[in-house]
Amino acid sequence: MLDPETLEPIGLASQIVLHPGLKGPFSSAHAKSDPLSGDVFNYDLEPGLKSTYRIFRVSASTGKTSILASFTADAAYLHSFFLSKNYVILCVWNSFYTAHGASVLLNRNIVDSIADYDPSRSARWYVVDRRSAEEGGQGLIAIYESDPSYCFHTINAFEKPSADGSGTDIVADLVTYNNLDILKRL
């Protein structure tokens, strides 16, 4: 946590104060907010042998935090994610932590705890309904894979009708890299 006036560190922030299920120490550096509702979205990553990602929303109107979906995947450094009109899209790309994330404690920093880029590991995309279960939300609705890559900052995501008219396509704007040099050289 930072002092809002001086920006001096004043303590550690934990998402568990938002919801008891948000137990992980990692999340996106850039939460996303809906420009109309003001709702804020992010993910919570609890590393371990089976690391758990939890996608959540904080309602601007009620202050209530809802976990929209929970799934297991390898722990990775994900600086940002995507938000479209109806979906939260989290891509777990090629920036995996060593020792299932425990190396962050050992190295005392994130970058030195990321494994070397592995060109054989594809990126995995998780598409989550933005609505809570109480609102009829369906949680995790799709998983896709794409070529191996890394992305630091996401740019934009939007939805459009599929070319054949059978559904909706999600278009994600991002710059990808075929290595981790952008991180390692910073």
Side-chain angles (χ1 to χ4, degrees):
M1 293 188 305
L2 300 175
D3 180 287
E5 298 295 322
T6 67
L7 300 182
E8 291 292 320
I10 56 174
L12 295 175
S14 173
Q15 293 172 339
I16 204 162
V17 300
L18 299 172
H19 188 286
L22 301 176
K23 300 178 271 188
F26 301 118
S27 67
S28 174
H30 302 284
K32 304 278 186 184
S33 61
D34 181 282
L36 300 176
S37 70
D39 293 352
V40 175
F41 299 82
N42 207 338
Y43 77 88
D44 176 84
L45 169 59
E46 184 179 6
L49 291 177
K50 290 192 178 255
S51 298
T52 301
Y53 289 85
R54 295 175 188 90
I55 310 297
F56 67 94
R57 178 189 78 193
V58 180
S59 169
S61 62
T62 67
K64 180 184 177 194
T65 300
S66 301
I67 295 177
L68 306 175
S70 181
F71 55 87
T72 60
D74 289 339
Y77 173 68
L78 308 177
H79 192 76
S80 56
F81 62 99
F82 300 94
L83 185 67
S84 70
K85 181 179 179 184
N86 295 296
Y87 306 104
V88 178
I89 305 103
L90 185 72
C91 183
V92 178
W93 35 60
N94 213 317
S95 55
F96 301 103
Y97 290 114
T98 56
H100 308 285
S103 56
V104 174
L105 297 172
L106 207 68
N107 293 322
R108 300 178 61 87
N109 74 67
I110 290 174
V111 173
D112 290 340
S113 302
I114 299 172
D116 290 338
Y117 185 85
D118 182 352
S120 70
R121 295 191 69 179
S122 60
R124 187 164 281 175
W125 299 74
Y126 298 87
V127 181
V128 174
D129 190 327
R130 283 180 39 166
R131 299 172 298 158
S132 68
E134 297 81 28
E135 300 166 315
Q138 299 174 32
L140 178 64
I141 60 166
I143 302 171
Y144 300 98
E145 286 194 19
S146 64
D147 291 339
S149 62
Y150 173 71
C151 173
F152 190 55
H153 275 283
T154 59
I155 299 169
N156 187 35
F158 60 93
E159 300 165 31
K160 67 178 191 174
S162 299
D164 64 5
S166 65
T168 300
D169 288 339
I170 299 171
V171 179
D173 295 324
L174 68 156
V175 175
T176 60
Y177 303 92
N178 60 0
N179 58 48
L180 294 172
D181 288 356
I182 186 75
L183 271 183
K184 301 289 184 168
R185 290 182 179 175
L186 284 175

